[in-house]
Amino acid sequence: MKFSFFLLVFTTTLFAQTDYPKDYFSPPLDIPLQLSGNFGELRPNHFHAGFDIKTLQKEGLNVYAVADGYVSRIKISTFGNGKTIYIDHPNGFTSVYGHLQKATDSIESFIKKTHYKEQSFEIEMYFKPNEMPVKKGQLIALSGNSGASEGPHLHFEFRDTKTEKIINPMFFGFDALLKDSKKPIVSNLYAFPLDSKTTVNNSQRPIPVNLSLQKDGTYLADKVISNGKIGFGIIAFDYDDVSFNRNGVFDVNLSCNGKSIFGYQFNTYAFDEMRYINALIDYSRYKKTGQRIQKLFMDPPYNLSIIKTDAENGVVSVVPNLTSVCNLEVSDFFGNKTKIAIPVEYDILTTIIENEPVVSNYVVKASKDCFFEKDKCSVFFPAGTFYNDFNLNFDAKNGVLTVHDDTVPAHTNFTISIENDSFSLGQKDKVFIGRIDGGRVSYNTTRKKDNVYEIRVKTLGQYKLVLDTITPVIKIAKSIEGKRLDNQKRLQVSISDGMSGIKSYNGYLNGKWILMEYDNKTKLLTHDFSDGIVAEGDNELKVVVVDNVGNSATFETHFLRNQKK
């Protein structure tokens, strides 16, 4: 994996800042700004790309364009940001509004027409500057809970229109809408021994270091005693004065003996850097405990642009006859700062906590292509798949392929192949390679050639061939067969599939395709009668659902409706 070293002269300002317009953009909501998530916050496999703005725990709040511009893109998805609008502004920035309930006025009308034109709920549209202009403060949508949202809120972000890099909204004057007088909290400090010969405070494993609050408000760490190369890590978060949610910190800087050696600031970065979060944190500990320890060193280095470091990549060499003091500063965007002094001393201590044993029978070299095979099962790791070399547990037994476990993060896809000739010609199209996670089996898009099944994935673990001949399930909460639905505004059915998962769904009224919006969280398909497809009198409803291997289910019923009532 290529890397450009950052050999920097650190000053009081760790990162040079671009001049962003402070008064150009207005808030996207007309209620006081409260955040449930901030920019750069640590999330599974990614850094958070913007603000999550609270919407009073409900949907339907007005969402406004933050400046003049034009709608450049609309994406409707059952996952991710759900219903999302992108607006390009003439000053070179793009604003993004996600998890919407729906758009408004002409924007919503265009979206609805596109659903019916493409006969699909999931759509994506791009526009030219003169096709859908908007004015600052124009109502463009209602807030919602669509996509992968865990509750009603507005996801809001800024991007550089040309590069598509995401930018911290604080730089655009949004800090003036928030109050934050609280210092970030460093709840845990860890010391990491970085080679097999090094111990830290009697431990060959990462070990917590106690912190003591001093009279001046700073913290003093217990002495760190070691005999080799070490690194530090922290668990840190921040509160503002009004939201009471744990948010991410903005700026981290570690220095040793007066020299800055490692730091990062959540200012701007590219989407293709997102997965480097798994290199920044102690991924193994995260998967085992749910704790995200942010490592203040790179071993080995990786290309995350927010990191600035010295030639040693934040690694501290503890040598005889030299007592060091490392200083850690963790800040929020408002300049509130937590300071920790860490005394470091050389000594050879008895090892009490030994390295954690690893069950393995192979070694993966991260910089080289690696191929492993057993009993007609194989895995291929292209060079650069992983951040570090590691001992691999690889085995095939009783129809289950073990490719280590998900305590080692993969940065890019690798290939798993399984050969099996026991399936009939009619069964082959119903077979996929599934990942086993406890009692669940998750679907992976599987390519088939002769008797070989192949997938490309980014997660280590156990895999097996799965035959899925079970059709999806379509249910309606309360039968509408032959009943009058004069007063109902919509109809709903639930859909599910316990094996390969749902690939497509289509609804029809009296033979005409109808828009049925799918909510992945509730598994509900919803059709709004205001679309105007429902007929006077008798209506025939048909819903067809297909899973990922082609099993199909059909639900049919009929109901009555008086349109004139």
Side-chain angles (χ1 to χ4, degrees), residues 13-18 20 38-41 47-51 93 157-160 165-172 249-252 263-270 273 304-308 333:
T13 301
L14 181 60
F15 297 85
Q17 300 297 349
T18 301
Y20 296 102
N38 67 344
F39 184 85
E41 190 172 289
F47 304 106
H48 191 229
F51 283 171
F93 299 103
E157 62 185 70
F158 282 111
R159 301 181 184 182
D160 181 293
K165 281 191 172 184
I166 43 177
I167 305 165
N168 193 331
M170 291 292 193
F171 288 119
F172 296 92
V249 299
F250 171 65
D251 188 291
V252 176
Y264 46 88
Q265 187 182 94
F266 288 104
N267 46 25
T268 179
Y269 42 83
E273 297 180 84
L304 178 56
S305 64
I306 63 171
I307 293 177
K308 310 298 178 186
F333 190 88

Side-chain angles (χ1 to χ4, degrees), residues 10 14 251-255 260-264 327-330:
F10 284 78
L14 181 60
D251 188 291
V252 176
N253 184 29
L254 177 68
S255 61
S260 291
I261 63 172
F262 192 89
Y264 46 88
N327 289 283
L328 173 64
E329 295 184 350
V330 181

Side-chain angles (χ1 to χ4, degrees), residues 226-455:
S226 183
N227 63 324
K229 294 182 181 296
I230 66 171
F232 292 103
I234 57 171
I235 297 177
F237 50 90
D238 188 44
Y239 291 105
D240 60 35
D241 291 356
V242 295
S243 298
F244 308 109
N245 287 82
R246 280 192 178 191
N247 293 321
V249 299
F250 171 65
D251 188 291
V252 176
N253 184 29
L254 177 68
S255 61
C256 196
N257 296 329
K259 176 189 175 185
S260 291
I261 63 172
F262 192 89
Y264 46 88
Q265 187 182 94
F266 288 104
N267 46 25
T268 179
Y269 42 83
F271 277 97
D272 60 8
E273 297 180 84
M274 288 289 203
R275 200 168 176 87
Y276 282 121
I277 186 176
N278 294 333
L280 176 67
I281 66 173
D282 182 345
Y283 185 84
S284 176
R285 188 181 185 94
Y286 165 63
K287 297 304 292 187
K288 293 174 182 177
T289 69
Q291 293 180 312
R292 291 188 178 96
I293 301 173
Q294 303 174 54
K295 296 187 295 185
L296 309 182
F297 60 93
M298 291 191 292
D299 181 32
Y302 51 90
N303 261 330
L304 178 56
S305 64
I306 63 171
I307 293 177
K308 310 298 178 186
T309 185
D310 66 354
E312 302 303 318
N313 300 309
V315 174
V316 178
S317 295
V318 186
V319 296
N321 305 316
L322 178 63
T323 299
S324 300
V325 176
C326 293
N327 289 283
L328 173 64
E329 295 184 350
V330 181
S331 308
D332 60 25
F333 190 88
F334 298 83
N336 302 304
K337 187 175 297 184
T338 295
K339 298 181 180 181
I340 301 172
I342 312 167
V344 180
E345 184 177 292
Y346 178 89
D347 201 353
I348 300 176
L349 301 177
T350 303
T351 300
I352 298 175
I353 304 174
E354 296 184 346
N355 270 325
E356 187 174 359
V358 178
V359 178
S360 64
N361 47 5
Y362 298 95
V363 175
V364 171
K365 296 292 185 181
S367 62
K368 297 181 178 180
D369 291 349
C370 298
F371 179 78
F372 305 95
E373 185 176 22
K374 182 181 180 182
D375 295 343
K376 298 183 179 180
C377 299
S378 67
V379 61
F380 173 64
F381 302 123
T385 300
F386 301 101
Y387 307 114
N388 302 82
D389 299 346
F390 69 99
N391 296 316
L392 172 75
N393 177 26
F394 177 81
D395 198 8
K397 188 182 298 182
N398 299 323
V400 176
L401 173 63
T402 298
V403 189
H404 208 71
D405 59 55
D406 189 22
T407 57
V408 176
H411 189 73
T412 57
N413 284 313
F414 56 91
T415 302
I416 290 174
S417 297
I418 301 177
E419 183 178 353
N420 188 304
D421 60 4
S422 65
F423 298 105
S424 68
L425 187 62
Q427 290 176 324
K428 284 185 178 181
D429 287 339
K430 306 294 185 184
V431 175
F432 66 93
I433 300 178
R435 181 173 179 270
I436 306 169
D437 185 6
R440 298 178 56 193
V441 177
S442 57
Y443 172 81
N444 297 284
T445 301
T446 304
R447 294 175 294 278
K448 307 172 184 70
K449 185 177 182 181
D450 297 326
N451 294 321
V452 178
Y453 303 83
E454 182 179 283
I455 59 173

Side-chain angles (χ1 to χ4, degrees), residues 149-165:
S149 172
E150 295 181 355
H153 71 276
L154 175 68
H155 174 83
F156 176 74
E157 62 185 70
F158 282 111
R159 301 181 184 182
D160 181 293
T161 303
K162 185 176 181 180
T163 66
E164 290 195 344
K165 281 191 172 184

Side-chain angles (χ1 to χ4, degrees), residues 116 483 485-486 488-491 508-510 512-515 527-541 559-564:
Y116 278 93
K483 296 182 179 178
L485 304 184
D486 297 344
Q488 284 190 208
K489 294 182 179 180
R490 62 185 64 89
L491 60 81
Y508 304 88
L509 269 181
N510 308 315
K512 294 182 179 180
W513 186 89
I514 56 171
L515 173 62
H527 173 68
D528 197 314
F529 286 137
S530 66
D531 285 4
I533 308 299
V534 66
E536 177 74 20
D538 197 23
N539 285 267
E540 299 289 336
L541 172 67
F559 61 90
L560 302 170
R561 185 171 176 89
N562 183 355
Q563 293 288 85
K564 300 176 182 178

